[in-house]
Amino acid sequence: MPTISAGALKRMLHLPANVVTGAPRIEKDRRGGDVVVVPVRPYARDTGRCAECGGHGRPYDRLPARRWRQLDIGCAKLLLEYAPPRVDCGAHGVTVAMVPWARRKSAYTYDFERQVAWLSVHAPRSAVSALMRVDWKSVGPVCRRVADELRAEQGAGLFDHLRSIGVDETSYKRGHKYMTIVVDHDRGRVIWMHQGHGEKVFDLFFQQLTPAQRESIRVITGDGARWIDECAFRWCPQAERILDGFHIVGWATDALDKVRTAAWREARKTGTAGKGAKDPIKGARWALLKNGPDLAAGQKAQLECVANTDETLWQAYKLKERLRMILKQTAETAAPLLRQWAADAFLSGIPGFVPLGEKIDRRRFDILRTIRSGLSNARLEAVNNRIKTTIKIGYGYRNLDNLIALVMLKCGGLNLQLPGRQ
C-alpha cells in the first residue's frame, strides 16, 4: 500500500519549518473524537534557540513531549508532537527553546491562531469557538497575540507620516467605562487605543511618538473637550485644532432636547397633557432632533403642532436648524452668520441656549477652521459604531486588552491573512 512521503505530508499540513520525524498516528480524545498526532522537530539550525531573543543557548535539559494544536485535517484534530529542550541563555537564563511553529507559551501553532483571529474579525466569538473547537475564553487571548505580532511587524512605521488625526472616547462597558481612540484620517484606520479618557490618557499617545512624528501632525480633530485642546497645544503646537461638525450640532441638539423635556414636564404639571394621553410635545421628540430635509410627512405635522402649542420649543428648534445650515456654508459666509447666531441664542433667554450662545461665540474661530478644512470625525464615529457592534457580537470581552486587539484587527489596517494564502 503506497505511503505519503514526509515532504508531501509537510506540504499538506503547511509545515515549512519542521522536520517530520515519524509516521502520523491516530488517537482518541476525551470525547471520543479522532486526533491525528504528527511527530516533528525543528531544523538543526533552529534547535537550541532562546524563545525570547532567538539567540543560541547552551543545552540544559529536555522536557517531556508537548503537543501543539494545528489546523484540523478533515474532521479530525491535528496535533504536532515534540519534546522541546531547555537552554541556558546568557540574557534570559534557563528557558524553553524556541519552536518555529508556535509562539512562546502558546498551545496553538501560528497557522491555527491566524485562522482563529481572521474568523473573529468576521464572525461572533461563539461561532469561532464552535468551528475551531476551542474554548470561547481562548479566542480573546489568541486575537491579542496575533495583533501584537502584526503590530510588531509594522514597528514604529505605524505612526509614520501622520498628517491629520482624530481623537474620541467610546464606552465599552456599563458604569461609565470608556476607552480613547485615535484614528488616522488619511489612511482611514485606528492607530491607537487605551483604557480611560482625558488628558493623561491622550498624553500616553503622544509619548509613544518621536519628535519627528509629532512634528508631522498638522490637524487634530475631536469634540470640544478642553483636554484635547490642552494636549494638542502642548505636544503639537504647530497642529490645527479642528472641532467636529457633528459634535457642534450635537451641542444644539442636546440643548433642544432639554427644552423639550422641560416643556413636557410643565405640561404634565399644569394638566394640559393628561396622564396616559398622547402628548404632542413628547411624541415630537424624534421630529425635533431630526434634520429638516429628512423629515417624513407625519413628522412635519408634529412640528406644525409644536409651532402652534409651544413658542419657546419652536424657537429652540429653529436655532438648532440655523446652526446646522451655517456649518454648510463657506467660512466667509459663515463668519457673520455665526456671530449673529451666538447673539440670538444668548438673547433668547431659553435655558440651555444661553450658555450655548456664549460657547459658540468663544469657539467661533475654531468652528470657522472646521468649516474651512472640511474635515470631521465621521470616520471616527463610524469606528465607534463598529466597536460597539464588536462588543455586542462577542457578548462582551471582559479583558479590555483582548477587545482592543480585536478592534485593531478589524479597524487597524493590520495585514491579517488566512494561513497559506497570498
Side-chain angles (χ1 to χ4, degrees):
M1 182 177 180
T3 59
I4 301 176
S5 65
L9 185 62
K10 283 176 54 178
R11 290 182 176 87
M12 289 172 57
L13 305 182
H14 197 241
L15 306 176
N18 308 1
V19 174
V20 178
T21 60
R25 61 182 186 272
I26 299 178
E27 300 178 358
K28 295 290 185 180
D29 61 11
R30 292 179 299 177
R31 298 183 179 181
D34 291 334
V35 177
V36 179
V37 181
V38 180
V40 296
R41 67 169 177 83
Y43 288 136
R45 63 174 180 269
D46 295 326
T47 304
R49 291 182 178 270
C50 174
E52 295 193 31
C53 64
H56 284 283
R58 292 175 299 177
Y60 187 78
D61 62 2
R62 184 171 290 275
L63 298 175
R66 290 181 54 190
R67 292 179 175 182
W68 289 264
R69 178 79 182 277
Q70 172 64 318
L71 294 175
D72 293 348
I73 178 170
C75 296
K77 293 181 180 179
L78 177 62
L79 302 178
L80 305 184
E81 188 177 62
Y82 173 62
R86 289 200 298 175
V87 296
D88 188 0
C89 176
H92 302 98
V94 178
T95 181
V96 180
M98 177 185 70
V99 292
W101 55 81
R103 297 176 180 85
R104 181 173 176 263
K105 295 184 178 180
S106 175
Y108 309 109
T109 65
Y110 286 110
D111 287 348
F112 188 89
E113 290 193 341
R114 288 238 174 176
Q115 182 153 314
V116 169
W118 188 91
L119 288 171
S120 299
V121 172
H122 298 86
R125 185 166 52 167
S126 57
V128 177
S129 173
L131 178 63
M132 300 301 295
R133 291 190 281 193
V134 294
D135 182 41
W136 66 272
K137 294 181 180 179
S138 303
V139 176
V142 167
C143 293
R144 182 179 178 181
R145 288 194 292 267
V146 174
D148 290 344
E149 179 193 34
L150 295 177
R151 286 173 65 88
E153 291 178 359
Q154 293 187 357
L158 185 66
F159 301 124
D160 287 342
H161 311 297
L162 292 178
R163 190 188 67 85
S164 59
I165 63 173
V167 58
D168 197 8
E169 67 274 358
T170 184
S171 63
Y172 66 91
K173 195 176 181 181
R174 291 180 179 178
H176 300 285
K177 301 293 185 180
Y178 292 93
M179 55 185 172
T180 301
I181 306 170
V182 179
V183 166
D184 181 1
H185 283 300
D186 296 328
R187 285 174 281 192
R189 64 189 186 187
V190 178
I191 57 174
W192 188 81
M193 297 180 66
H194 198 278
Q195 181 180 10
H197 65 101
E199 185 176 351
K200 293 183 179 179
V201 175
F202 199 24
D203 282 337
L204 297 177
F205 166 71
F206 288 111
Q207 290 170 7
Q208 294 189 11
L209 305 182
T210 64
Q213 290 170 339
R214 291 195 292 266
E215 184 68 24
S216 67
I217 298 176
R218 291 288 178 253
V219 175
I220 300 177
T221 67
D223 58 21
R226 292 187 177 182
W227 56 268
I228 299 179
D229 299 339
E230 294 171 358
C231 287
F233 180 76
R234 182 167 59 254
W235 293 99
C236 300
Q238 80 287 347
E240 207 174 16
R241 173 70 171 95
I242 294 178
L243 299 179
D244 177 38
F246 175 83
H247 285 93
I248 296 172
V249 177
W251 298 342
T253 300
D254 293 340
L256 173 62
D257 197 47
K258 292 179 181 178
V259 175
R260 182 200 63 82
T261 303
W264 176 71
R265 288 175 178 172
E266 182 65 24
R268 290 291 301 272
K269 186 185 299 183
T270 58
T272 55
K275 188 174 182 180
K278 186 175 181 181
D279 181 43
I281 295 178
K282 182 180 180 181
R285 177 186 180 186
W286 302 116
L288 289 167
L289 300 181
K290 200 171 184 180
N291 294 339
D294 300 331
L295 292 171
Q299 292 173 332
K300 291 180 181 179
Q302 289 176 330
L303 289 183
E304 291 178 3
C305 182
V306 170
N308 296 327
T309 57
D310 195 309
E311 183 179 354
T312 302
L313 183 57
W314 178 245
Q315 185 178 358
Y317 172 77
K318 290 192 295 183
L319 284 172
K320 186 264 292 186
E321 284 297 299
R322 276 179 57 192
L323 181 60
R324 187 179 63 83
M325 296 305 298
I326 289 173
L327 296 179
K328 295 185 176 182
Q329 309 298 320
T330 62
E332 292 73 17
T333 305
L337 297 176
L338 203 59
R339 193 182 304 112
Q340 183 62 46
W341 189 96
D344 292 344
F346 180 78
L347 296 175
S348 67
I350 302 175
F353 279 87
V354 173
L356 180 57
E358 296 176 345
K359 185 176 184 178
I360 292 294
D361 187 61
R362 185 173 63 252
R363 306 298 298 265
R364 187 172 72 253
F365 296 106
D366 295 333
I367 297 173
L368 291 176
R369 279 201 300 268
T370 299
I371 297 174
R372 192 176 295 111
S373 68
L375 289 175
S376 72
N377 259 16
R379 191 184 301 275
L380 192 50
E381 296 299 328
V383 170
N384 285 347
N385 291 333
R386 294 183 66 186
I387 292 172
K388 295 183 188 308
T389 302
T390 302
I391 297 173
K392 291 179 180 178
I393 291 177
Y395 299 104
Y397 277 72
R398 298 185 180 182
N399 189 311
L400 181 60
D401 292 332
N402 296 340
L403 175 60
I404 290 176
L406 182 61
V407 173
M408 293 302 299
L409 290 172
K410 275 193 167 188
C411 313
L414 301 179
N415 186 25
L416 176 62
Q417 296 183 0
L418 284 169
R421 312 291 177 88
Q422 297 296 325

